[in-house]
């Protein structure tokens, strides 16, 4: 019985370790000091999570992408961070084209700008804030036909 349990545990151990290696990290660029500057993790087929890093090892930009003929096409939500790790921006893409919510934040964490894109064009109400969160400007950027 002990041998069966040991064998079962070994199978579980090896099957778990194999599942974590299916999403191999591929280093694409390094900083001069050897720190990873850009990597990607395969999700499925040609879809990846792409990560860019600051020289201090902290995440700079991250999001999903796929590749067509070697070109990286952003798809989904991309988030950027300041070197201290605080969120700097959020942008959404649909097959490489800005589409959806867009936001930026000041270094103090207060919202700086919020708006919306539709198929690459800014639309709707865009709002700009000061460093305390007070609205300083707001306008509708929807193109008038």
């Amino acid at each position: 019985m002990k041998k069966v349990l040991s064998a079962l545990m070994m199978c579980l151990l090896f099957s778990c370790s194999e599942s974590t290696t299916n999403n191999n990290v591929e280093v694409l660029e390094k900083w001069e000091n050897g720190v990873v500057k850009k990597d990607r993790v395969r999700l499925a087929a040609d879809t990846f999570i792409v990560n860019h890093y600051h020289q201090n090892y902290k995440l700079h930009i991250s999001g999903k992408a796929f590749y067509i003929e070697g070109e990286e096409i952003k798809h989904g939500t991309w988030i950027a961070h300041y070197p201290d790790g605080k969120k700097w921006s959020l942008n959404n893409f649909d097959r490489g084209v800005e589409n959806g919510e867009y936001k930026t934040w000041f270094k103090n964490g207060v919202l700086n700008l919020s708006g919306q894109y539709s198929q690459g064009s800014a639309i709707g109400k865009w709002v700009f804030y000061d460093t305390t969160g007070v609205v300083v400007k707001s306008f509708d950027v929807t193109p008038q036909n």
Side-chain angles (χ1 to χ4, degrees), residues 5-73:
L5 285 175
S6 294
L8 182 59
M9 291 300 287
M10 293 299 284
C11 288
L12 285 173
L13 178 64
F14 286 116
S15 66
C16 289
S17 65
E18 281 187 16
S19 67
T20 59
T21 59
N22 286 342
N23 291 338
N24 287 333
V25 175
E26 180 182 0
V27 175
L28 301 174
E29 294 179 51
K30 289 187 177 186
W31 291 100
E32 299 79 35
N33 62 1
V35 173
V36 174
K37 184 175 186 178
K38 181 178 180 182
D39 68 24
R40 66 182 179 187
V41 180
R42 182 181 299 274
L43 297 177
D46 62 349
T47 304
F48 298 84
I49 293 176
V50 179
N51 300 301
H52 298 255
Y53 299 92
H54 292 284
Q55 279 186 290
N56 67 358
Y57 303 96
K58 294 197 182 238
L59 188 61
H60 181 198
I61 303 169
S62 182
K64 289 183 182 176
F66 57 90
Y67 288 80
I68 297 178
E69 297 176 6
E71 183 180 349
E72 181 181 289
I73 309 295

Side-chain angles (χ1 to χ4, degrees), residues 123-139:
I123 62 163
K125 185 177 179 181
W126 282 66
V127 182
F128 294 80
Y129 304 86
D130 69 12
T131 57
T132 65
V134 174
V135 174
V136 293
K137 190 172 188 178
S138 174
F139 55 91

Side-chain angles (χ1 to χ4, degrees), residues 77-82 86-93 98-106 109-117 125-129:
T77 301
W78 279 69
I79 298 175
H81 299 86
Y82 287 106
K86 291 181 183 173
K87 193 184 303 184
W88 177 76
S89 73
L90 175 143
N91 201 355
N92 288 281
F93 295 87
E98 289 177 306
N99 198 50
E101 181 180 31
Y102 178 83
K103 290 183 177 182
T104 63
W105 288 266
F106 290 106
V110 173
L111 188 62
N112 176 27
L113 166 67
S114 66
Q116 194 82 12
Y117 282 99
K125 185 177 179 181
W126 282 66
V127 182
F128 294 80
Y129 304 86

